[in-house]
């Protein structure tokens, strides 16, 4: 039977950038899409699949606290078109859960420059989409399953 205490609570998630915990971040998503080619095979009606490429994408959502992301990402517009490339560490943890872990996202590049987005009477939030080309599972906590 499922022990509800073991379900990971996202409240303990963390995003780290340049050794600093980004305390204003309220959600992070990172996914690797697996692209495959169909392979027709003789002697069977079943179509096989061959993995041909991987694409890493993600999104950071958080409260707007400083212009730091704008400055870093915006260098692509001010520095002869050189994009900002970095690494991010995402930690998913919960003291009661099994299977919490940290992931290092490598070769992170951002898809847009979050210049301005606000609404009167509301807290200012920003959404920053990105791509990445490699990842490492750094460690896991608790049982394997």
């Amino acid at each position: 039977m499922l022990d509800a205490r073991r379900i990971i609570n996202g409240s303990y998630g963390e995003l780290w950038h340049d050794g600093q915990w980004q305390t204003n971040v309220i959600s992070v998503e990172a996914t690797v899409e697996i692209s495959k080619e169909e392979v027709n095979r003789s002697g069977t009606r079943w179509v096989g699949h061959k993995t041909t490429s991987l694409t890493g994408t993600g999104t950071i959502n958080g409260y707007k606290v400083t212009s730091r992301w704008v400055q870093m990402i915006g260098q692509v517009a001010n520095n002869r078109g050189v994009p900002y490339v970095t690494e991010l560490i995402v930690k998913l943890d919960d003291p009661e859960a099994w299977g919490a872990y940290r992931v290092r996202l490598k070769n992170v590049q951002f898809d847009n420059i979050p210049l301005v987005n606000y609404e009167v009477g509301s807290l200012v939030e920003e959404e920053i989409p990105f791509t990445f080309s490699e990842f490492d599972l750094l460690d896991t906590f608790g049982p394997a399953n």
Side-chain angles (χ1 to χ4, degrees):
M1 181 184 307
L2 173 67
D3 182 349
R5 294 173 302 145
R6 302 301 178 206
I7 298 170
I8 298 172
N9 180 345
S11 296
Y12 296 95
E14 299 175 4
L15 175 69
W16 290 77
H17 179 255
D18 285 343
Q20 294 182 346
W21 178 19
Q22 305 296 300
T23 57
N24 61 308
V25 171
I26 53 177
S27 71
V28 177
E29 179 183 353
T31 305
V32 176
E33 181 180 326
I34 303 170
S35 297
K36 301 177 218 167
E37 296 279 334
E38 289 187 354
V39 179
N40 294 319
R41 300 175 292 169
S42 64
T44 181
R45 292 182 180 153
W46 287 98
V47 175
H49 294 88
K50 171 71 175 177
T51 298
T52 56
S53 63
L54 304 172
T55 302
T57 60
T59 305
I60 300 168
N61 292 290
Y63 298 113
K64 181 82 165 172
V65 177
T66 69
S67 61
R68 186 166 183 251
W69 287 109
V70 174
Q71 293 169 339
M72 290 182 299
I73 300 167
Q75 79 180 24
V76 70
N78 301 326
N79 195 9
R80 291 194 230 159
V82 177
Y84 179 68
V85 180
T86 190
E87 289 188 353
L88 300 171
I89 306 285
V90 182
K91 181 179 179 183
L92 187 57
D93 195 5
D94 181 339
E96 293 182 312
W98 292 337
Y101 57 95
R102 290 185 315 145
V103 177
R104 177 180 24 219
L105 305 175
K106 300 179 180 182
N107 305 310
V108 174
Q109 294 188 53
F110 298 93
D111 297 347
N112 60 44
I113 303 167
L115 292 176
V116 177
N117 178 22
Y118 77 91
E119 181 179 329
V120 173
S122 297
L123 298 175
V124 177
E125 296 183 18
E126 61 187 353
E127 178 178 281
I128 308 172
F130 61 88
T131 57
F132 61 96
S133 61
E134 293 182 50
F135 72 93
D136 287 330
L137 186 61
L138 297 178
D139 48 35
T140 59
F141 311 100
N145 43 340

